Amino acid sequence: MVVLSVPAEVTVILLDIEGTTTPIAFVKDILFPYVKENVKEYLQTHWGEEECQEDVSLLRKQAEEDSHLDGAVPIPAASGNGADDPQWMIQAVVDNVYWQMSLDRKTTALKQLQGHMWRAAFKAGHMKAEFFEDVVPAVRKWREAGMKVYVYSSGSVEAQKLLFGHSTEGDILELVDGHFDTKIGHKVESESYRKIASSIGCSTNNILFLTDVSREASAAEEAGVHVAVVVRPGNAGLTDDEKTHFSLITSFSELYLPSSA
């Protein structure tokens, strides 16, 4: 087994989710299809609720910002006189969600609606989040060694908490000290990692970031964060240069903490 020694100054381990703690197949084959298959019914059921209308307003605002993009799907503004046909409006939102998802977009508006849909599904027991079998034992060990563990994902903080709160391993939210999403910045921008360090109250070189995406790893590295790229089944392949440049692990159990020796 390859062992990667964690630098002594590291006190925080920052985790990506998709392709790192959780199989990409769970996200691609279960989470996202659930949204596509159920978004219309969800909107019809919750249309009159304040939270749903807030989600729609955010999507409409995003649609206005996207109006210059090729193939962008508009969401008309409500007239406010009660004469609007909700089915027509709902269909516009559904079409916009489909369009954004077809481009694998990570907009806050889309993530917020998806997060609310997943919350309903998890709480109803319709699904449980999958984690790689090495994740929970390793995170417990890190915490016993005094490490702080944070999550940074393009999925909303609310969606992250749902995954950790309704997992095949039970409720494992207690293993996470805090959560970050794209509200702090995008994962391919180095400034995001500086902001995370500032928010946690540590230096960037006190953080070890685990991700499967080389562009995220490069951005974190640029900010002075330690990085290991996680190679999992179903993840995108790495170039030879990336394999040479980054420290690679195939399991969290391959991380060696000098402090826990």
Side-chain angles (χ1 to χ4, degrees):
M1 183 176 77
V2 180
V3 173
L4 177 64
S5 195
V6 176
E9 70 260 32
V10 169
T11 56
V12 172
I13 296 181
L14 183 64
L15 302 174
D16 165 55
I17 293 179
E18 184 182 348
T20 299
T21 65
T22 296
I24 282 181
F26 172 73
V27 179
K28 286 210 160 62
D29 300 342
I30 296 175
L31 280 186
F32 286 141
Y34 178 85
V35 171
K36 281 190 163 179
E37 289 161 17
N38 293 279
V39 63
K40 189 168 187 173
E41 184 187 342
Y42 177 86
L43 290 169
Q44 287 170 337
T45 304
H46 299 279
W47 190 254
E49 296 167 19
E50 188 180 350
E51 182 182 81
C52 185
Q53 285 305 311
E54 285 170 3
D55 291 347
V56 171
S57 294
L58 210 54
L59 284 162
R60 185 180 290 114
K61 190 163 168 250
Q62 183 65 49
E64 286 164 10
E65 288 172 22
D66 293 339
S67 59
H68 65 286
L69 296 177
D70 197 29
V73 178
I75 300 174
S79 64
N81 63 9
D84 296 305
D85 175 5
Q87 292 308 321
W88 176 67
M89 191 75 79
I90 285 169
Q91 192 57 53
V93 176
V94 170
D95 292 344
N96 178 274
V97 166
Y98 279 11
W99 173 71
Q100 287 202 62
M101 290 184 72
S102 73
L103 299 176
D104 194 26
R105 301 191 75 207
K106 312 279 188 193
T107 63
T108 299
L110 177 63
K111 293 291 175 188
Q112 183 168 303
L113 175 66
Q114 289 172 331
H116 290 153
M117 287 187 63
W118 291 328
R119 178 184 63 196
F122 279 118
K123 291 195 169 168
H126 294 157
M127 61 170 91
K128 286 191 186 322
E130 292 171 27
F131 286 81
F132 288 109
E133 62 183 9
D134 55 274
V135 171
V136 173
V139 172
R140 288 193 198 281
K141 198 172 165 189
W142 300 340
R143 291 180 63 89
E144 282 163 16
M147 288 280 172
K148 297 273 190 199
V149 178
Y150 288 82
V151 173
Y152 181 29
S153 170
S154 56
S156 68
V157 165
E158 187 173 20
Q160 294 172 33
K161 288 180 175 177
L162 285 170
L163 292 180
F164 282 80
H166 300 82
S167 86
T168 49
E169 308 282 331
D171 182 348
I172 52 172
L173 263 176
E174 64 180 22
L175 299 180
V176 180
D177 292 284
H179 299 259
F180 299 98
D181 59 20
T182 51
K183 283 180 181 168
I184 204 154
H186 288 285
K187 295 175 77 183
V188 294
E189 295 168 1
S190 57
E191 186 57 30
S192 306
Y193 299 89
R194 295 187 189 98
K195 286 180 180 171
I196 285 172
S198 173
S199 175
I200 293 171
C202 67
S203 301
T204 52
N205 72 339
N206 297 136
I207 300 174
L208 170 63
F209 178 46
L210 304 183
T211 179
D212 61 308
V213 179
S214 56
R215 284 180 67 211
E216 296 173 3
S218 296
E221 215 172 46
E222 202 178 301
V225 169
H226 296 282
V227 170
V229 173
V230 185
V231 179
R232 300 283 201 185
N235 287 6
L238 300 170
T239 65
D240 288 342
D241 285 349
E242 287 166 348
K243 286 176 187 170
T244 308
H245 178 78
F246 293 114
S247 298
L248 308 179
I249 59 170
T250 59
S251 164
F252 285 9
S253 62
E254 292 167 16
L255 286 182
Y256 170 70
L257 273 59
S259 59
S260 65

